[in-house]
Amino acid sequence: MILHMIDRSAVERLTYEYGGDWEVNHARRLVQTIAAIGKGLAYDQEVVWIAAHLHDWGSCPKWAKEGVNHSVKSKTLAERYLQKAGYPPDRTALVLEAIEFHHGGSEGRSTEAILLSDADALDALGVIGVLREFAMLPCEYRGGYSFPTVLGLRDAYERAQMRKDNSFRMLRLEASRKLARARIKEMDRLFAQLQKETAGCF
Ligand SMILES: [Fe+2]
Ligand SMILES: [Fe+2]
């Protein structure tokens, strides 16, 4: 029997080309998180690996378009890529479903799709979730340094606080909720310390 395998280094290279370290490491974290929350579940590991790498291609500078949902764009790009790579149609369908619904939105999703959306929501929680939120502040270069422009630390802080509820609500697996509770505890500790150090001036 020939097992069809995707060229993982080619996928990683393309993910890096489109989204740099940000995207590649986001994908790697999702793969790790899925291994943790998927323990004891039956799922196709290669399908989730591929979906983790391709799911945000549509949000990368080369492909992102105002008014176009990045999940839909990523799905189109993935379909094209996997077809060209001769990936089996049944497994391609699983990858595409996981990509299309990686921010939720469909009942009765496959285990692979649930694992991807749970892992993606978990990436917005904990220390990594906070750092991501602060890294996403729009910045400009002045005198050799990068400074936040219109929005400041308060804005990133408030968005990170909102994620605690919004991302938690997205989770479908009990193992994900357990991990999320631990991550939220870390966020609360970090924010309490921030408040203490700054007396709210941030
Ligand atoms: Fe996304
Ligand atoms: Fe993502």
Side-chain angles (χ1 to χ4, degrees), residues 55-56 70 102-103 120:
H55 77 287
D56 279 335
H70 80 274
H102 78 264
H103 289 304
D120 198 50

Side-chain angles (χ1 to χ4, degrees), residues 14-99:
L14 263 184
T15 306
Y16 182 80
E17 184 190 316
Y18 296 152
D21 276 331
W22 179 274
E23 279 311 321
V24 170
N25 284 307
H26 176 50
R28 287 177 182 156
R29 289 194 301 274
L30 296 200
V31 171
Q32 280 180 23
T33 304
I34 287 169
I37 61 178
K39 272 197 190 109
L41 297 178
Y43 66 95
D44 186 323
Q45 289 189 12
E46 189 179 61
V47 160
V48 293
W49 189 94
I50 297 168
H53 282 76
L54 275 59
H55 77 287
D56 279 335
W57 276 10
S59 69
C60 295
K62 185 179 166 102
W63 305 110
K65 234 194 225 150
E66 207 58 56
V68 176
N69 181 322
H70 80 274
S71 304
V72 174
K73 182 65 190 172
S74 299
K75 185 187 170 193
T76 307
L77 293 167
E79 189 166 22
R80 204 186 301 159
Y81 184 81
L82 294 172
Q83 224 164 46
K84 237 172 130 181
Y87 204 60
D90 52 336
R91 297 173 84 193
T92 296
L94 271 178
V95 173
L96 299 184
E97 183 207 3
I99 291 176

